[in-house]
Amino acid sequence: MPSEHAVPSRAVPSGAALVAIVCAAQVLVQIGAFYWPALLPGMLQRWSLTNSEAGWITSAFYAAYMVSVPVLVTLTDRIDAKRIYLIGVGCTVIAHLLFGLLADGFWSALALRGLAGIGWAGTYMTGLKLLADQVDAKMMSRAVTGHAASIGISGALSYLLGDLIAQHFGWRIAFASAGVTAAIAWIAVAVTVPGRAPLAKPAGPGSRLFDFRPVLRNRSAFAYSLAYCVHTLEMSALRGWGVAFLAFVAASTGETGELLSPTVVVTVLGLLGTVMSVVGNEASIRFGRRRLIAAAMLLSIAAGAVIGFLGSTGYWLAVVLVVVYGMIIWLDSSSLTAGAAGAADPARRGATLAVHSMLGYAGGFIGPLAIGWTLDLAGGMSRLAWGLAFAFVAAFMAVVLVIFVLLRPDELQGDRGRR
């Protein structure tokens, strides 16, 4: 959508072209995000890490994101989102390159995964903000879904690609290559995406940039964001430990899983999850957003309660349960983010997405740690320990489901019952 503030020195891409550019850039930035969990079984042995230490390294990404996203994304309400985006991608480039060159144990890995989290804080929701400001209210939901799909696809491929590069060239080259792809994304956005001034500053009480009280008072947006918190908790728990769980089952049962290795399974899961996210958002529009989200939460509680106990008894059963559980988790992913973005005051959309993302990645921080701590407290990896770990995640979801139902957020324009 053209803007009076667009940079006049070159042609402004059409709305469709802008979406394509940003989504392609997100693929290149996100492709290395899950090299760490994909290579986790080998790194546990290589650096003699405990399960808790591995959980901390995984969670450092989410913790740094959680702390920095309120600042970086909220700034897009006053500063051109493109500038914030390029800063975020730059941090990602440095984090991945240095991880490949310098990481040699717990502390260096912890710090560099944290820097990668800061990079993603300046990239994920700011990329969404670039798109959200370009589309009308009825198209918002599908624009968000397309953005989420590009990230979902690259996140899924991250597992397989990281494993393949590490096998052929070593784990250091794998991480360094992720820095190179992020650098390509930086150049593409810097050259092709026009600058755009933010909307006018809102007037009246509560108009200060980092005053989040108006956002928190938005009942509908907050309800979607709170549900997104526990959604990301279980998603990060499964993505962070899925490969290790399947590797444990293969080793303990004597089934090698040569046809579908753990990294291939998690890659397939991510691709199917992306499809489910798109399908789920369309179902939200057709059948009602609240209904779809509540159903997905109920199903994930049931799946999380049994996956660790039953899945540990056989590799192929574990594969089926991991894939089914993941598809359920992803079902309401786009629906939740679209709900928060659509329910936001347009002048405070950056702040709303900042709160949404902060809550989400707070859950992302807790998820991998909860699994790692539970495994260690239960005496190490065992069938009982894995069962308790995933059941603990399901308990989080049960609590938030009750809160979500009580808050009863509004449907969006275009959803069933809100035309």
Side-chain angles (χ1 to χ4, degrees), residues 245 303-313 382-384 386-388 390:
F245 172 61
V306 302
I307 183 174
F309 295 109
L310 293 181
S312 299
T313 62
S382 66
R383 292 180 180 179
L384 175 62
W386 281 112
L388 292 174
F390 283 112

Side-chain angles (χ1 to χ4, degrees), residues 3-12 194-195:
S3 168
E4 62 181 271
H5 301 290
V7 174
S9 58
R10 59 176 177 268
V12 178

Side-chain angles (χ1 to χ4, degrees), residues 109-128:
L110 186 77
L112 290 171
R113 288 301 291 166
L115 181 58
I118 295 173
W120 192 232
T123 307
Y124 179 22
M125 285 295 167
T126 53
L128 178 58

Side-chain angles (χ1 to χ4, degrees), residues 54-408:
W56 272 109
I57 295 172
T58 302
S59 291
F61 179 89
Y62 299 99
Y65 182 106
M66 176 182 63
V67 172
S68 53
V69 77
V71 176
L72 295 176
V73 180
T74 303
L75 283 173
T76 64
D77 283 336
R78 300 287 191 277
I79 301 173
D80 184 0
K82 177 182 174 180
R83 295 183 183 180
I84 307 299
Y85 184 90
L86 292 177
I87 291 172
V89 177
C91 290
T92 303
V93 172
I94 295 170
H96 289 329
L97 286 177
L98 291 183
F99 199 106
L101 293 173
L102 302 177
D104 61 357
F106 173 74
W107 290 109
S108 55
L110 186 77
L112 290 171
R113 288 301 291 166
L115 181 58
I118 295 173
W120 192 232
T123 307
Y124 179 22
M125 285 295 167
T126 53
L128 178 58
K129 180 68 157 51
L130 283 172
L131 298 180
D133 290 341
Q134 307 292 326
V135 298
D136 61 29
K138 289 187 176 181
M139 285 298 296
M140 173 76 72
S141 182
R142 289 190 173 99
V144 171
T145 301
H147 180 264
S150 67
I151 293 170
I153 291 171
S154 60
L157 294 177
S158 180
Y159 288 89
L160 182 59
L161 189 60
D163 187 42
L164 288 174
I165 296 175
Q167 285 184 26
H168 289 88
F169 303 103
W171 67 269
R172 290 192 181 277
I173 296 297
F175 281 102
S177 69
V180 174
T181 60
I184 295 172
W186 192 98
I187 294 170
V189 172
V191 171
T192 62
V193 176
R196 181 182 178 89
L199 294 175
K201 175 181 176 181
S207 62
R208 289 174 295 179
L209 180 60
F210 293 107
D211 183 359
F212 294 108
R213 288 175 297 177
V215 174
L216 297 176
R217 286 195 293 267
N218 185 329
R219 175 184 52 81
S220 290
F222 180 73
Y224 288 120
S225 296
L226 187 61
Y228 184 68
C229 173
V230 73
H231 159 79
T232 308
L233 185 153
E234 61 178 355
M235 179 182 285
S236 66
L238 185 61
R239 289 198 297 197
W241 287 96
V243 173
F245 172 61
L246 292 172
F248 163 80
V249 177
S252 63
T253 61
E255 301 177 50
T256 61
E258 293 179 358
L259 181 62
L260 284 175
S261 68
T263 52
V264 171
V265 172
V266 178
T267 298
V268 171
L269 164 62
L271 295 173
L272 291 175
T274 300
V275 174
M276 292 300 294
S277 179
V278 175
V279 170
N281 188 66
E282 292 300 314
S284 292
I285 296 172
R286 183 177 178 85
F287 301 110
R289 195 162 302 267
R290 288 195 308 268
R291 182 179 300 176
L292 183 282
I293 292 170
M297 294 173 79
L298 278 171
L299 289 172
S300 69
I301 293 168
V306 302
I307 183 174
F309 295 109
L310 293 181
S312 299
T313 62
Y315 184 76
W316 293 107
L317 177 59
V319 168
V320 172
L321 289 175
V322 164
V323 171
V324 171
Y325 184 35
M327 291 173 68
I328 293 171
I329 291 173
W330 262 265
L331 182 62
D332 60 353
S333 185
S334 292
S335 299
L336 290 167
T337 300
D345 176 350
R348 294 191 176 92
R349 184 170 289 131
T352 301
L353 290 176
V355 171
H356 177 78
S357 207
M358 181 181 66
L359 287 173
Y361 278 71
F365 169 72
I366 294 170
L369 274 180
I371 297 290
W373 284 345
T374 305
L375 291 175
D376 280 345
L377 289 172
M381 293 187 188
S382 66
R383 292 180 180 179
L384 175 62
W386 281 112
L388 292 174
F390 283 112
F392 191 45
V393 171
F396 274 102
M397 177 62 74
V399 172
V400 175
L401 171 59
V402 173
I403 298 173
F404 180 81
V405 171
L406 292 176
L407 287 176
R408 192 174 174 79

